[in-house]
Amino acid sequence: MISADATPGLQHFLLDGVLQAVKVGVIVLDARQRIVLWNRWMEQHSPHPAAAVLGQQFVDVFPAMANGRTHAAIVSALTDNFASLISQSLNKAPFPLYYSEADEISNRRIQQAVQVMPIQVATLPRHCLVQITDVSIAVTRERKLRELALELQSQTFLDGLTGIANRRRFDVDINHEFRRAKRTGAPLSLVMIDVDSFKRYNDNYGHQQGDWCLAQIATALSRTLERSSDLLARYGGEEFMAILPDTDSHGALQIAEIMRAEIEALALPHAYSDVANHVTVSLGVVTQVPHQHAAIVHLIGAADRALYKAKSSGRNCVAVSDNHPVPLMQ
């Protein structure tokens, strides 16, 4: 508030100085939506000097904004005495304002927060104040924080060695898919995969080579899953798990056999295996339409038992939870 001791002329001079100095855009419209004030910030960031817009209708200066959200707020302020805050999420940059000519050419607008407020002017009809704040830095910071959060989340859910989903991601996804299968009555299949004789591989080729081997296996297994809803995760050590939503037992067995064949086709040498002279995997498959009282632990337990049966049947094969190993494709 200006001191009561200040003369009207000084008050006007100070107010004009403040409006020209503030680092926000200020537009004042009269009752007929004509521009009566256009501060220096607006001159700096728009293509229009004050002399070119004063007395002009708002929609003549900004024809693309006619009947838009900001224009509607102006009408509401003038007719209904109603203040508005224009949503940044829905209207990131309503005014064509730019930092430079290059930005204007490429239409890289300043990110804006816009407030529209009715103002009373003595002896005159109601006016309207439009205040435009540059929030580009805050928007950029928020976007970077959001990207960082997504990156951190991605790292939290990825296995550092193989680059596929880790056990934590598996736990989250199996809970989600299990609940969804309960609701929809759709089949849910799991494939548990274990690298045959992997301890001997590590002991004889070294842990660095063993890590490389697991990464190759993870990449090959990932190639067999074509749907975005499927998930391959490293379950622990040399064990992997595939979640196959909306997949019946026949489809799960087919995928499991393709997985087995894909690893065999890698032909990674394993002179110390008791199965073959190359790296192989054993796979256990379970399919369930979860009833209301079903539990995830029982589903995973069934997959584990199926894997044990595959190993007991000679390894390098697929077995289902009812103890029927699937013969190798020729």
Side-chain angles (χ1 to χ4, degrees), residues 86-253:
I86 309 301
S87 169
Q88 287 179 246
S89 59
L90 299 177
N91 303 269
K92 296 184 184 302
F95 284 89
L97 303 172
Y98 310 95
Y99 288 119
S100 65
E101 289 185 11
D103 285 345
E104 184 178 352
I105 292 171
S106 58
N107 197 32
R108 288 194 299 269
R109 296 187 178 189
I110 293 172
Q111 299 294 295
Q112 306 154 27
V114 179
Q115 287 182 284
V116 180
M117 295 164 283
I119 53 176
Q120 301 295 335
V121 182
T123 72
L124 293 175
R126 185 181 298 128
H127 282 50
C128 172
L129 168 66
V130 180
Q131 178 179 300
I132 307 162
T133 305
D134 179 2
V135 295
S136 301
I137 293 176
V139 169
T140 300
R141 185 185 300 116
E142 182 181 349
R143 185 178 66 249
K144 288 182 177 179
L145 288 173
R146 200 161 48 241
E147 291 172 353
L148 179 60
L150 288 173
E151 183 180 349
L152 290 173
Q153 184 183 47
S154 174
Q155 292 174 355
T156 301
F157 283 143
L158 289 181
D159 177 58
L161 174 63
T162 62
I164 63 172
N166 61 12
R167 175 65 179 271
R168 183 175 181 181
R169 171 70 185 276
F170 171 84
D171 290 339
V172 169
D173 277 38
I174 192 62
N175 272 281
H176 169 75
E177 294 298 345
F178 197 78
R179 289 196 303 270
R180 191 175 71 84
K182 277 187 177 182
R183 289 196 312 271
T184 63
L188 175 63
S189 294
L190 288 183
V191 181
M192 185 175 281
I193 307 128
D194 186 74
V195 184
D196 297 325
S197 305
F198 189 70
K199 185 178 185 305
R200 293 183 182 180
Y201 189 98
N202 257 343
D203 290 345
N204 289 278
Y205 293 102
H207 288 280
Q208 186 173 359
Q209 184 69 14
D211 289 348
W212 176 85
C213 177
L214 290 176
Q216 298 304 304
I217 290 171
T219 300
L221 292 174
S222 296
R223 287 197 295 265
T224 67
L225 301 181
E226 299 179 351
R227 302 180 307 174
S228 60
S229 58
D230 297 337
L231 179 80
L232 176 71
R234 187 179 179 200
Y235 194 64
E238 68 272 20
E239 283 190 337
F240 299 86
M241 190 81 86
I243 303 175
L244 307 175
D246 303 307
T247 305
D248 61 19
S249 57
H250 179 70
L253 287 171

Side-chain angles (χ1 to χ4, degrees), residues 35-62:
I35 297 172
V36 297
L37 191 149
W38 183 271
N39 77 337
R40 187 173 295 118
W41 192 93
M42 290 299 298
E43 288 189 305
Q44 291 171 340
H45 297 294
S46 77
H48 310 296
V53 299
L54 292 177
Q56 298 294 315
Q57 290 281 328
F58 177 83
V59 294
D60 290 337
V61 178
F62 300 109

